[in-house]
Coordinates of all heavy atoms in Angstrom, one line a residue:
M1228 N 0.8 -1.2 0.0 CA 0.0 0.0 0.0 C 0.9 1.2 0.0 O 1.8 1.3 0.8 CB -0.9 0.0 1.2 CG -1.7 1.2 1.4 SD -3.1 1.0 2.6 CE -2.4 1.7 4.1
K1229 N 0.6 2.1 -0.9 CA 1.4 3.4 -1.0 C 0.7 4.4 -0.2 O -0.6 4.6 -0.2 CB 1.5 3.8 -2.4 CG 2.4 2.8 -3.2 CD 2.6 3.3 -4.6 CE 3.4 2.3 -5.4 NZ 3.7 2.8 -6.7
V1230 N 1.5 5.2 0.6 CA 0.9 6.3 1.4 C 1.8 7.5 1.3 O 3.0 7.4 1.0 CB 0.8 5.9 2.9 CG1 -0.3 4.8 3.1 CG2 2.1 5.5 3.5
T1231 N 1.2 8.7 1.4 CA 2.0 9.9 1.4 C 2.6 10.1 2.8 O 2.3 9.4 3.7 CB 1.1 11.1 1.1 OG1 0.2 11.3 2.1 CG2 0.4 10.9 -0.3
D1232 N 3.5 11.0 2.8 CA 4.2 11.3 4.1 C 3.1 11.8 5.2 O 3.2 11.4 6.3 CB 5.2 12.4 4.0 CG 6.5 11.9 3.3 OD1 6.7 10.7 3.3 OD2 7.3 12.7 2.8
D1233 N 2.1 12.6 4.7 CA 1.1 13.0 5.6 C 0.2 11.9 6.1 O -0.1 11.8 7.3 CB 0.2 14.1 4.9 CG -0.7 14.8 5.9 OD1 -0.3 15.1 7.0 OD2 -1.9 15.0 5.5
E1234 N -0.1 11.0 5.2 CA -0.9 9.8 5.6 C -0.1 8.9 6.6 O -0.6 8.3 7.5 CB -1.3 9.0 4.4 CG -2.3 9.7 3.5 CD -2.6 9.0 2.2 OE1 -1.6 8.4 1.6 OE2 -3.7 9.1 1.7
K1235 N 1.2 8.8 6.3 CA 2.1 8.0 7.1 C 2.1 8.5 8.5 O 2.0 7.8 9.5 CB 3.5 7.9 6.5 CG 4.4 6.9 7.2 CD 5.7 6.7 6.5 CE 6.5 5.7 7.1 NZ 7.8 5.5 6.4
K1236 N 2.2 9.9 8.6 CA 2.2 10.6 9.9 C 0.9 10.3 10.7 O 0.9 10.1 11.9 CB 2.5 12.1 9.7 CG 2.6 12.8 11.0 CD 2.8 14.3 10.8 CE 2.8 15.1 12.1 NZ 2.9 16.5 11.9
Q1237 N -0.2 10.4 9.9 CA -1.5 10.2 10.5 C -1.7 8.8 11.1 O -2.2 8.6 12.1 CB -2.7 10.6 9.6 CG -2.8 12.1 9.3 CD -3.9 12.3 8.2 OE1 -4.4 11.4 7.6 NE2 -4.2 13.6 8.0
L1238 N -1.2 7.9 10.3 CA -1.3 6.4 10.7 C -0.4 6.2 11.9 O -0.8 5.5 12.9 CB -0.8 5.5 9.6 CG -1.8 5.3 8.4 CD1 -1.2 4.6 7.3 CD2 -3.0 4.5 8.9
S1239 N 0.7 6.8 12.0 CA 1.6 6.7 13.1 C 1.0 7.3 14.4 O 1.0 6.7 15.4 CB 3.0 7.4 12.8 OG 3.8 7.3 14.0
E1240 N 0.3 8.4 14.2 CA -0.3 9.0 15.4 C -1.5 8.2 15.8 O -1.7 8.0 17.1 CB -0.8 10.5 15.0 CG 0.3 11.5 14.9 CD -0.1 12.8 14.3 OE1 -1.4 13.0 14.1 OE2 0.7 13.7 14.2
A1241 N -2.2 7.6 14.9 CA -3.4 6.8 15.2 C -2.9 5.5 16.0 O -3.5 5.1 17.0 CB -4.2 6.4 14.0
I1242 N -1.8 4.9 15.5 CA -1.2 3.8 16.2 C -0.8 4.1 17.6 O -1.0 3.3 18.5 CB -0.1 3.2 15.4 CG1 -0.6 2.5 14.1 CG2 0.7 2.1 16.2 CD1 0.5 2.1 13.1
D1243 N -0.1 5.3 17.8 CA 0.3 5.7 19.1 C -0.9 5.8 20.0 O -0.8 5.4 21.2 CB 1.0 7.0 19.0 CG 2.4 6.9 18.4 OD1 2.9 5.8 18.3 OD2 3.0 8.0 18.0
K1244 N -2.0 6.4 19.5 CA -3.2 6.6 20.4 C -3.8 5.2 20.7 O -4.3 5.0 21.8 CB -4.2 7.5 19.7 CG -3.8 9.0 19.6 CD -4.8 9.8 18.9 CE -4.3 11.3 18.9 NZ -5.3 12.1 18.2
M1245 N -3.8 4.3 19.8 CA -4.3 3.0 20.0 C -3.5 2.3 21.1 O -4.0 1.6 22.0 CB -4.4 2.1 18.8 CG -5.5 2.6 17.8 SD -5.5 1.7 16.2 CE -5.2 0.0 16.6
N1246 N -2.2 2.4 21.0 CA -1.3 1.8 22.0 C -1.5 2.4 23.4 O -1.5 1.7 24.4 CB 0.2 2.0 21.6 CG 0.6 1.0 20.5 OD1 0.0 -0.1 20.5 ND2 1.5 1.3 19.7
E1247 N -1.7 3.8 23.5 CA -2.0 4.4 24.7 C -3.3 3.8 25.3 O -3.4 3.6 26.5 CB -2.1 5.9 24.6 CG -0.8 6.6 24.3 CD -1.0 8.1 24.0 OE1 -2.1 8.6 24.3 OE2 -0.1 8.7 23.5
G1248 N -4.3 3.7 24.5 CA -5.6 3.1 24.9 C -5.4 1.7 25.4 O -6.0 1.3 26.5
L1249 N -4.7 0.9 24.7 CA -4.4 -0.5 25.1 C -3.7 -0.5 26.4 O -4.0 -1.4 27.3 CB -3.6 -1.2 24.0 CG -3.3 -2.7 24.2 CD1 -4.6 -3.5 24.4 CD2 -2.5 -3.2 23.1
D1250 N -2.7 0.3 26.6 CA -2.0 0.4 27.8 C -2.9 0.7 29.0 O -2.8 0.1 30.1 CB -0.8 1.4 27.8 CG 0.3 1.0 26.9 OD1 0.4 -0.2 26.6 OD2 1.1 1.9 26.5
A1251 N -3.9 1.6 28.8 CA -4.8 1.9 29.8 C -5.7 0.7 30.2 O -5.9 0.4 31.4 CB -5.7 3.1 29.4
F1252 N -6.1 0.0 29.2 CA -6.9 -1.2 29.4 C -6.1 -2.3 30.2 O -6.6 -2.9 31.1 CB -7.4 -1.8 28.1 CG -8.7 -1.2 27.6 CD1 -8.7 -0.4 26.5 CD2 -9.9 -1.4 28.2 CE1 -9.8 0.2 26.0 CE2 -11.1 -0.8 27.8 CZ -11.0 0.0 26.6
I1253 N -4.9 -2.4 29.8 CA -4.0 -3.4 30.5 C -3.8 -3.0 31.9 O -3.9 -3.8 32.8 CB -2.6 -3.5 29.7 CG1 -2.9 -4.2 28.4 CG2 -1.6 -4.3 30.6 CD1 -1.6 -4.2 27.5
Q1254 N -3.6 -1.7 32.2 CA -3.5 -1.2 33.6 C -4.7 -1.5 34.4 O -4.7 -1.9 35.5 CB -3.1 0.3 33.6 CG -2.9 0.8 35.0 CD -2.5 2.3 35.0 OE1 -2.3 2.9 33.9 NE2 -2.3 2.8 36.1
F1255 N -5.9 -1.2 33.8 CA -7.2 -1.4 34.5 C -7.3 -2.9 34.8 O -7.7 -3.3 35.9 CB -8.4 -1.0 33.7 CG -8.5 0.5 33.6 CD1 -8.9 1.1 32.4 CD2 -8.3 1.3 34.7 CE1 -9.1 2.5 32.3 CE2 -8.5 2.7 34.7 CZ -8.9 3.3 33.5
Y1256 N -6.9 -3.8 33.8 CA -7.0 -5.2 34.0 C -6.1 -5.6 35.2 O -6.5 -6.4 36.0 CB -6.7 -5.9 32.7 CG -6.6 -7.4 32.9 CD1 -7.8 -8.2 33.0 CD2 -5.4 -8.1 33.1 CE1 -7.7 -9.6 33.2 CE2 -5.3 -9.5 33.2 CZ -6.5 -10.2 33.3 OH -6.5 -11.5 33.5
N1257 N -4.9 -5.2 35.1 CA -3.9 -5.6 36.1 C -4.3 -5.1 37.5 O -3.9 -5.8 38.5 CB -2.5 -5.1 35.8 CG -1.9 -5.8 34.6 OD1 -2.3 -7.0 34.3 ND2 -1.0 -5.2 33.9
E1258 N -5.0 -4.0 37.6 CA -5.3 -3.4 38.9 C -6.7 -3.9 39.4 O -7.1 -3.6 40.5 CB -5.3 -1.9 38.9 CG -3.9 -1.3 38.7 CD -3.9 0.2 38.5 OE1 -5.1 0.8 38.5 OE2 -2.9 0.8 38.4
S1259 N -7.4 -4.7 38.6 CA -8.8 -5.1 38.9 C -8.7 -6.2 40.0 O -7.8 -6.9 40.1 CB -9.5 -5.6 37.7 OG -8.9 -6.8 37.2
E1260 N -9.8 -6.2 40.7 CA -10.0 -7.2 41.8 C -11.3 -7.9 41.6 O -12.3 -7.3 41.0 CB -10.0 -6.6 43.2 CG -8.8 -5.8 43.5 CD -8.9 -5.1 44.8 OE1 -9.9 -5.3 45.6 OE2 -8.0 -4.3 45.2
E1261 N -11.4 -9.1 42.0 CA -12.7 -9.9 41.8 C -13.7 -9.2 42.8 O -13.4 -9.0 43.9 CB -12.5 -11.3 42.2 CG -13.7 -12.2 42.0 CD -13.5 -13.6 42.2 OE1 -12.4 -14.1 42.4 OE2 -14.5 -14.4 42.3
D1262 N -14.9 -9.0 42.3 CA -16.0 -8.5 43.0 C -16.7 -9.6 43.7 O -17.5 -10.3 43.1 CB -17.0 -7.7 42.1 CG -18.0 -6.9 42.9 OD1 -17.9 -6.8 44.2 OD2 -19.0 -6.5 42.3
K1263 N -16.4 -9.8 45.0 CA -17.1 -10.8 45.8 C -18.1 -10.2 46.7 O -17.8 -9.3 47.4 CB -16.0 -11.6 46.6 CG -15.0 -12.3 45.8 CD -14.0 -13.0 46.7 CE -13.0 -13.7 45.9 NZ -12.0 -14.4 46.7
P1264 N -19.3 -10.8 46.7 CA -20.3 -10.2 47.7 C -19.9 -10.5 49.1 O -19.3 -11.5 49.4 CB -21.6 -11.0 47.3 CG -21.2 -12.2 46.5 CD -19.8 -11.9 45.9
L1265 N -20.2 -9.5 50.0 CA -19.9 -9.7 51.4 C -20.7 -10.9 52.0 O -20.1 -11.7 52.7 CB -20.3 -8.4 52.1 CG -19.6 -8.1 53.4 CD1 -18.1 -8.2 53.4 CD2 -20.0 -6.7 53.9
I1266 N -22.0 -11.0 51.6 CA -22.8 -12.1 52.0 C -23.6 -12.6 50.8 O -23.7 -11.8 49.9 CB -23.8 -11.8 53.2 CG1 -24.7 -10.6 52.8 CG2 -23.0 -11.4 54.5 CD1 -25.8 -10.4 53.8
E1267 N -24.1 -13.8 50.9 CA -24.9 -14.3 49.8 C -26.3 -14.6 50.3 O -26.4 -15.3 51.3 CB -24.2 -15.6 49.2 CG -22.9 -15.3 48.5 CD -22.4 -16.5 47.8 OE1 -23.1 -17.4 47.4 OE2 -21.1 -16.5 47.6
F1268 N -27.3 -14.0 49.6 CA -28.6 -14.2 50.0 C -29.2 -15.5 49.3 O -28.7 -15.8 48.2 CB -29.5 -13.0 49.6 CG -29.2 -11.8 50.3 CD1 -28.7 -10.7 49.7 CD2 -29.5 -11.7 51.7 CE1 -28.4 -9.5 50.4 CE2 -29.2 -10.5 52.4 CZ -28.7 -9.4 51.7
T1269 N -30.1 -16.1 50.0 CA -30.8 -17.3 49.3 C -31.7 -16.7 48.2 O -32.0 -15.5 48.2 CB -31.7 -18.0 50.3 OG1 -32.7 -17.2 50.8 CG2 -30.9 -18.5 51.5
D1270 N -32.1 -17.6 47.3 CA -33.0 -17.2 46.2 C -34.3 -16.6 46.8 O -34.8 -15.6 46.3 CB -33.3 -18.3 45.3 CG -32.1 -18.8 44.5 OD1 -31.2 -18.0 44.3 OD2 -32.2 -19.9 43.9
E1271 N -34.8 -17.2 47.9 CA -36.0 -16.7 48.5 C -35.9 -15.3 49.0 O -36.7 -14.4 48.8 CB -36.5 -17.7 49.6 CG -37.8 -17.3 50.3 CD -38.1 -18.2 51.4 OE1 -37.4 -19.2 51.6 OE2 -39.2 -17.9 52.0
T1272 N -34.7 -15.0 49.7 CA -34.5 -13.7 50.2 C -34.3 -12.7 49.1 O -34.8 -11.6 49.2 CB -33.2 -13.7 51.1 OG1 -33.4 -14.7 52.2 CG2 -32.9 -12.4 51.7
M1273 N -33.6 -13.1 48.0 CA -33.5 -12.1 46.9 C -34.8 -11.8 46.3 O -35.1 -10.6 45.9 CB -32.5 -12.7 45.9 CG -31.1 -12.7 46.4 SD -29.8 -13.1 45.1 CE -30.4 -14.6 44.4
E1274 N -35.7 -12.8 46.2 CA -37.0 -12.5 45.6 C -37.8 -11.6 46.5 O -38.5 -10.7 46.0 CB -37.8 -13.9 45.4 CG -37.2 -14.7 44.3 CD -37.8 -16.1 44.3 OE1 -38.7 -16.4 45.0 OE2 -37.3 -16.9 43.5
T1275 N -37.7 -11.8 47.8 CA -38.4 -10.9 48.8 C -37.9 -9.5 48.7 O -38.7 -8.5 48.7 CB -38.2 -11.5 50.2 OG1 -38.7 -12.8 50.3 CG2 -39.0 -10.6 51.2
I1276 N -36.6 -9.3 48.6 CA -36.0 -8.0 48.5 C -36.4 -7.4 47.2 O -36.8 -6.2 47.1 CB -34.4 -8.1 48.5 CG1 -34.0 -8.5 49.9 CG2 -33.8 -6.8 48.1 CD1 -32.5 -8.8 50.1
A1277 N -36.5 -8.1 46.1 CA -36.9 -7.6 44.8 C -38.4 -7.1 44.9 O -38.7 -6.0 44.3 CB -36.8 -8.6 43.7
R1278 N -39.2 -7.9 45.5 CA -40.6 -7.4 45.7 C -40.7 -6.2 46.5 O -41.5 -5.3 46.3 CB -41.5 -8.6 46.3 CG -41.8 -9.7 45.3 CD -42.9 -10.6 45.9 NE -42.7 -11.0 47.2 CZ -42.1 -12.1 47.6 NH1 -41.5 -12.9 46.7 NH2 -42.0 -12.4 48.9
A1279 N -39.9 -6.1 47.6 CA -39.9 -4.9 48.4 C -39.4 -3.7 47.7 O -40.0 -2.6 47.8 CB -39.0 -5.1 49.7
I1280 N -38.4 -3.9 46.8 CA -37.9 -2.8 46.0 C -39.0 -2.3 45.1 O -39.2 -1.1 44.9 CB -36.6 -3.2 45.2 CG1 -35.5 -3.3 46.2 CG2 -36.3 -2.1 44.1 CD1 -34.2 -3.9 45.6
E1281 N -39.7 -3.2 44.5 CA -40.8 -2.8 43.6 C -41.9 -2.0 44.3 O -42.5 -1.1 43.8 CB -41.5 -4.0 42.9 CG -40.6 -4.7 41.9 CD -41.3 -5.9 41.3 OE1 -42.5 -6.1 41.4 OE2 -40.5 -6.8 40.8
A1282 N -42.2 -2.4 45.6 CA -43.2 -1.8 46.3 C -42.8 -0.4 47.0 O -43.6 0.5 47.0 CB -43.7 -2.7 47.4
Y1283 N -41.6 -0.4 47.5 CA -41.1 0.8 48.3 C -40.0 1.6 47.7 O -39.7 2.6 48.2 CB -40.7 0.3 49.7 CG -41.9 -0.4 50.4 CD1 -41.9 -1.8 50.5 CD2 -42.9 0.3 50.9 CE1 -42.9 -2.4 51.2 CE2 -44.0 -0.3 51.6 CZ -44.0 -1.7 51.7 OH -45.0 -2.3 52.3
G1284 N -39.3 1.0 46.7 CA -38.2 1.7 46.1 C -36.9 1.3 46.7 O -36.8 0.8 47.9
K1285 N -35.8 1.3 45.9 CA -34.5 0.8 46.3 C -33.9 1.5 47.5 O -33.4 0.9 48.4 CB -33.5 0.9 45.1 CG -32.2 0.2 45.4 CD -31.3 0.2 44.1 CE -30.0 -0.4 44.4 NZ -29.1 -0.4 43.3
D1286 N -34.0 2.9 47.5 CA -33.4 3.6 48.6 C -34.0 3.3 49.9 O -33.3 3.1 50.9 CB -33.5 5.1 48.3 CG -32.7 5.6 47.2 OD1 -31.7 4.9 46.8 OD2 -32.9 6.7 46.7
E1287 N -35.3 3.2 50.0 CA -36.0 2.8 51.3 C -35.6 1.4 51.7 O -35.3 1.2 52.9 CB -37.5 3.0 51.2 CG -38.2 2.7 52.5 CD -39.4 3.5 52.7 OE1 -39.7 4.4 51.9 OE2 -40.1 3.2 53.7
V1288 N -35.6 0.5 50.8 CA -35.3 -0.9 51.2 C -33.9 -1.0 51.6 O -33.6 -1.7 52.6 CB -35.6 -1.9 50.0 CG1 -35.2 -3.3 50.3 CG2 -37.1 -1.9 49.7
T1289 N -33.0 -0.3 50.9 CA -31.6 -0.4 51.3 C -31.4 0.2 52.7 O -30.6 -0.4 53.5 CB -30.7 0.5 50.3 OG1 -30.8 -0.2 49.0 CG2 -29.3 0.5 50.7
A1290 N -32.0 1.3 53.0 CA -31.9 1.9 54.3 C -32.4 1.0 55.4 O -31.8 0.8 56.4 CB -32.7 3.2 54.4
K1291 N -33.6 0.3 55.1 CA -34.2 -0.6 56.1 C -33.3 -1.8 56.3 O -33.0 -2.2 57.5 CB -35.5 -1.1 55.7 CG -36.6 0.0 55.6 CD -37.0 0.4 57.0 CE -38.1 1.5 56.8 NZ -38.5 2.0 58.1
I1292 N -32.7 -2.4 55.3 CA -31.8 -3.6 55.4 C -30.6 -3.2 56.2 O -30.2 -3.9 57.1 CB -31.5 -4.1 54.0 CG1 -32.7 -4.8 53.4 CG2 -30.3 -5.2 54.1 CD1 -32.6 -5.3 52.0
N1293 N -30.0 -2.0 55.9 CA -28.8 -1.6 56.6 C -29.1 -1.4 58.1 O -28.3 -1.8 59.0 CB -28.3 -0.3 56.0 CG -27.4 -0.6 54.8 OD1 -26.4 -1.2 54.9 ND2 -27.8 -0.1 53.7
T1294 N -30.3 -0.8 58.4 CA -30.7 -0.6 59.8 C -30.8 -1.9 60.5 O -30.4 -2.1 61.6 CB -32.0 0.2 59.9 OG1 -31.8 1.5 59.3 CG2 -32.4 0.4 61.3
I1295 N -31.5 -2.9 59.9 CA -31.7 -4.2 60.5 C -30.4 -4.9 60.7 O -30.2 -5.5 61.8 CB -32.7 -5.0 59.6 CG1 -34.1 -4.4 59.6 CG2 -32.7 -6.5 60.0 CD1 -35.0 -5.0 58.5
V1296 N -29.6 -5.0 59.7 CA -28.3 -5.7 59.8 C -27.4 -5.0 60.9 O -26.9 -5.7 61.8 CB -27.5 -5.7 58.5 CG1 -26.1 -6.2 58.7 CG2 -28.3 -6.5 57.5
K1297 N -27.4 -3.7 61.0 CA -26.6 -3.0 62.0 C -27.2 -3.4 63.4 O -26.4 -3.7 64.3 CB -26.7 -1.5 61.8 CG -25.9 -0.7 62.8 CD -26.0 0.8 62.5 CE -25.2 1.6 63.5 NZ -25.4 3.0 63.3
E1298 N -28.5 -3.4 63.6 CA -29.1 -3.7 64.9 C -28.8 -5.2 65.2 O -28.4 -5.5 66.4 CB -30.6 -3.5 64.8 CG -31.3 -3.7 66.2 CD -30.8 -2.8 67.3 OE1 -30.3 -1.7 67.0 OE2 -30.8 -3.3 68.4
V1299 N -29.0 -6.1 64.3 CA -28.8 -7.5 64.6 C -27.3 -7.8 64.9 O -27.1 -8.6 65.8 CB -29.2 -8.4 63.3 CG1 -28.7 -9.8 63.5 CG2 -30.7 -8.3 63.1
L1300 N -26.4 -7.1 64.3 CA -25.0 -7.4 64.6 C -24.4 -6.5 65.7 O -23.2 -6.5 66.0 CB -24.2 -7.3 63.3 CG -24.6 -8.2 62.2 CD1 -23.7 -8.0 61.0 CD2 -24.4 -9.7 62.7
S1301 N -25.2 -5.6 66.3 CA -24.7 -4.7 67.3 C -24.2 -5.4 68.5 O -23.4 -4.8 69.3 CB -25.8 -3.7 67.7 OG -26.9 -4.4 68.4
F1302 N -24.5 -6.6 68.7 CA -24.0 -7.4 69.9 C -22.5 -7.8 69.8 O -21.9 -8.1 70.7 CB -24.8 -8.7 70.1 CG -24.6 -9.7 69.0 CD1 -23.6 -10.6 69.1 CD2 -25.5 -9.6 67.9 CE1 -23.5 -11.5 68.0 CE2 -25.4 -10.6 66.9 CZ -24.3 -11.5 66.9
L1303 N -21.9 -7.6 68.6 CA -20.6 -8.0 68.4 C -19.6 -7.1 69.1 O -19.8 -5.9 69.1 CB -20.2 -8.0 66.9 CG -20.9 -9.0 66.0 CD1 -20.5 -8.7 64.5 CD2 -20.5 -10.4 66.4
P1304 N -18.6 -7.7 69.8 CA -17.7 -6.8 70.5 C -16.8 -6.1 69.5 O -16.5 -6.6 68.4 CB -16.8 -7.8 71.3 CG -17.0 -9.1 70.6 CD -18.3 -9.1 69.9
N1305 N -16.3 -4.9 69.9 CA -15.3 -4.2 69.0 C -14.0 -4.9 69.1 O -13.8 -5.8 69.8 CB -15.3 -2.7 69.3 CG -14.8 -2.4 70.7 OD1 -14.1 -3.2 71.3 ND2 -15.1 -1.3 71.3
K1306 N -13.0 -4.3 68.4 CA -11.7 -5.0 68.4 C -11.0 -5.1 69.7 O -10.2 -6.0 70.0 CB -10.7 -4.2 67.4 CG -11.1 -4.3 66.0 CD -10.2 -3.5 65.1 CE -10.6 -3.7 63.7 NZ -9.7 -3.0 62.8
Q1307 N -11.3 -4.2 70.7 CA -10.7 -4.3 72.0 C -11.4 -5.3 72.9 O -11.1 -5.4 74.1 CB -10.7 -2.9 72.7 CG -9.7 -1.9 72.1 CD -10.2 -1.3 70.8 OE1 -11.4 -1.2 70.6 NE2 -9.3 -0.9 69.9
G1308 N -12.5 -5.9 72.4 CA -13.2 -6.9 73.2 C -14.3 -6.3 74.0 O -14.9 -6.9 74.8
K1309 N -14.5 -5.0 73.8 CA -15.6 -4.3 74.6 C -16.8 -4.1 73.7 O -16.6 -4.0 72.4 CB -15.1 -2.9 75.0 CG -13.9 -3.0 75.9 CD -13.4 -1.6 76.2 CE -12.1 -1.6 77.0 NZ -11.5 -0.3 77.2
E1310 N -18.0 -4.2 74.2 CA -19.2 -4.0 73.4 C -19.4 -2.5 73.1 O -19.1 -1.7 74.0 CB -20.4 -4.6 74.1 CG -20.3 -6.1 74.2 CD -21.7 -6.7 74.5 OE1 -22.7 -6.0 74.2 OE2 -21.7 -7.8 75.0
D1311 N -19.8 -2.2 71.9 CA -20.1 -0.8 71.5 C -21.4 -0.4 72.2 O -22.3 -1.3 72.4 CB -20.3 -0.7 70.0 CG -19.0 -0.8 69.3 OD1 -17.9 -0.5 69.9 OD2 -19.0 -1.2 68.1
T1312 N -21.6 0.8 72.5 CA -22.9 1.3 73.0 C -23.5 2.2 72.1 O -23.0 2.7 71.2 CB -22.6 2.0 74.4 OG1 -21.7 3.0 74.2 CG2 -22.2 1.0 75.4

């Protein structure tokens, strides 16, 4: 394929930009971590949560679940072995 000097320069710049993009993707891949859920819900629990979200909205359900989990686990001692108040 024959190209002019200007076309050759444009191709070179395009290749450089592609290499920069590829380097960014490689960096993202190398720094990525597996997304593991903190806890796993049963299918029945997930269905119940989905129904609650449909009825009350995601924000309200999220707030309620966070409140419930915090209260249920409030009995756990802190790192010094003392209970939080």
